[in-house]
Amino acid sequence: MNTILNENNCYICNQIHKTMITLEELLKTEDQYIAKHKNDNPFMPNTQNDNLDFLRQGYIRKHYEGAKEYYEAKHDLLQSYGITEIEVLILFLFEGFMPQIFRVDLVYGKIPPLLKDIWMYLDNILEKTPSFDGKVLYRFSSYDNANDFRIGEIFQPIYFFTTTVDNWEKDCTTFIVTPLPKDTTSAKSLYLIKNHGEEYDAGENQVTFKRNSKFLITNIEQKTEKKPDKIYLEEIK
C-alpha cells in the first residue's frame, strides 16, 4: 500500500514506510515542500537541517519534463532494460543539477525516507544496467587530494562512484581505475541507458560503480607544475 500524501501525513515526515515512493508522490512531495517554505528567508531558510532543502529549488519537476520526453522517445530501449519512468527521472537528477543528493557520505544526521528511496531507485537502475567491459576508467575530482590516500590501503566509497571511459586530461585530481572483469565488476555502463551530454554531441560516457565498491590503492603520483595528482585504483572484491 502506497503512502498517502495529505496535510496530516506528509511522506517526507513519515519515518516508517513499506513501499518506495511513486512518481506522482515524488512530484507532489516537492510541491508541498515548496509551498510550506515559500515564505522562508532565502538567506536563513528553516530547512537547513532536514537534509531536504534541495526540494525548495524545484529541480525534480524541472527535470521531469525532460525525463518524460526521454522515456517516451527511448521507450523500446528502456523497456529492454526494464527501466521505469520514475527511474528515468532519478537518472536525470543524478546526471543533471542534483548529483549532490546522491552523495551518501555528505548527509548528516537522520536520513529522510525520501532520500533513501531516491538512492534505492539508483541502486535498482545500476542493477539493470550492463556491466562495464573494459580495461580502464577515469574520474576527475576538484575535491579529492592525493595526500588523503595511501598506497596499499583499501578505498571503499559508500556513495555512487562515478567515472568515465574517456581521459579528459583535466587539471584536477585524476583517478585511474582498473575495474574487475565484466562478470564480476560493480561498474555499470550508464551511458548505454542515457549518455549525459549526448544532446550536445559531447556525451560523458559515464560508468558508475555501485555503492560500497572496494578498491586497492596501487599507486599515487603527486601533483607537479605540469601534472595533477593521480591516484591509481584497482577494483577488488
Side-chain angles (χ1 to χ4, degrees):
M1 181 175 179
N2 290 332
T3 303
I4 304 299
L5 281 170
N6 56 53
E7 292 181 357
N8 299 317
N9 180 27
C10 181
Y11 179 87
I12 58 177
C13 303
N14 205 358
Q15 298 303 311
I16 300 176
H17 63 293
K18 296 181 180 180
T19 59
M20 292 169 67
I21 194 168
T22 66
L23 177 60
E24 293 75 16
E25 289 173 339
L26 180 59
L27 294 169
K28 191 171 183 179
T29 295
E30 183 181 65
D31 291 341
Q32 287 184 331
Y33 196 88
I34 291 172
K36 180 179 178 181
H37 297 284
K38 65 180 180 180
N39 295 322
D40 288 358
N41 183 332
F43 301 104
M44 297 183 64
N46 296 321
T47 59
Q48 289 180 333
N49 298 318
D50 66 4
N51 286 317
L52 291 170
D53 184 57
F54 66 90
L55 291 173
R56 293 195 311 115
Q57 308 302 319
Y59 279 133
I60 293 177
R61 191 167 287 281
K62 290 175 183 176
H63 281 77
Y64 173 61
E65 290 304 319
K68 182 179 180 181
E69 290 178 5
Y70 189 83
Y71 182 73
E72 294 172 352
K74 303 286 186 178
H75 185 265
D76 290 345
L77 170 69
L78 297 169
Q79 191 174 49
S80 70
Y81 290 116
I83 304 295
T84 65
E85 187 174 5
I86 188 171
E87 288 172 343
V88 172
L89 174 57
I90 298 302
L91 190 53
F92 265 65
L93 298 178
F94 181 57
E95 294 185 344
F97 295 100
M98 296 182 64
Q100 72 279 4
I101 71 172
F102 296 90
R103 282 296 300 261
V104 182
D105 56 319
L106 299 181
V107 177
Y108 301 99
K110 200 165 190 176
I111 302 175
L114 175 62
L115 271 184
K116 291 181 180 179
D117 278 3
I118 288 175
W119 297 341
M120 288 179 63
Y121 271 120
L122 187 53
D123 287 332
N124 290 345
I125 294 169
L126 294 179
E127 287 295 333
K128 299 174 183 179
T129 300
S131 297
F132 176 68
D133 187 10
K135 301 295 186 183
V136 62
L137 292 164
Y138 304 90
R139 175 180 172 87
F140 304 92
S141 173
S142 299
Y143 305 102
D144 293 294
N145 188 301
N147 293 327
D148 297 326
F149 296 82
R150 299 288 182 274
I151 295 174
E153 290 187 348
I154 302 300
F155 172 56
Q156 187 173 15
I158 63 173
Y159 52 89
F160 303 96
F161 192 68
T162 58
T163 65
T164 174
V165 302
D166 301 316
N167 185 357
W168 298 334
E169 297 184 349
K170 285 191 172 184
D171 187 24
C172 60
T173 298
T174 302
F175 291 87
I176 301 172
V177 186
T178 301
L180 287 166
K182 182 180 179 180
D183 59 343
T184 53
T185 185
S186 293
K188 297 294 184 171
S189 300
L190 270 184
Y191 68 91
L192 296 177
I193 306 298
K194 180 183 178 297
N195 197 357
H196 182 54
E198 64 183 351
E199 62 271 31
Y200 305 110
D201 298 321
E204 291 185 358
N205 294 321
Q206 183 179 144
V207 176
T208 299
F209 285 86
K210 297 178 185 178
R211 289 193 276 176
N212 295 303
S213 294
K214 293 174 67 176
F215 306 91
L216 175 66
I217 303 170
T218 59
N219 194 21
I220 296 173
E221 295 179 7
Q222 296 287 344
K223 182 178 181 179
T224 66
E225 289 184 4
K226 295 183 178 181
K227 294 182 179 181
D229 286 337
K230 290 185 178 180
I231 302 169
Y232 293 81
L233 303 178
E234 183 177 310
E235 184 187 11
I236 59 175
K237 283 297 184 182

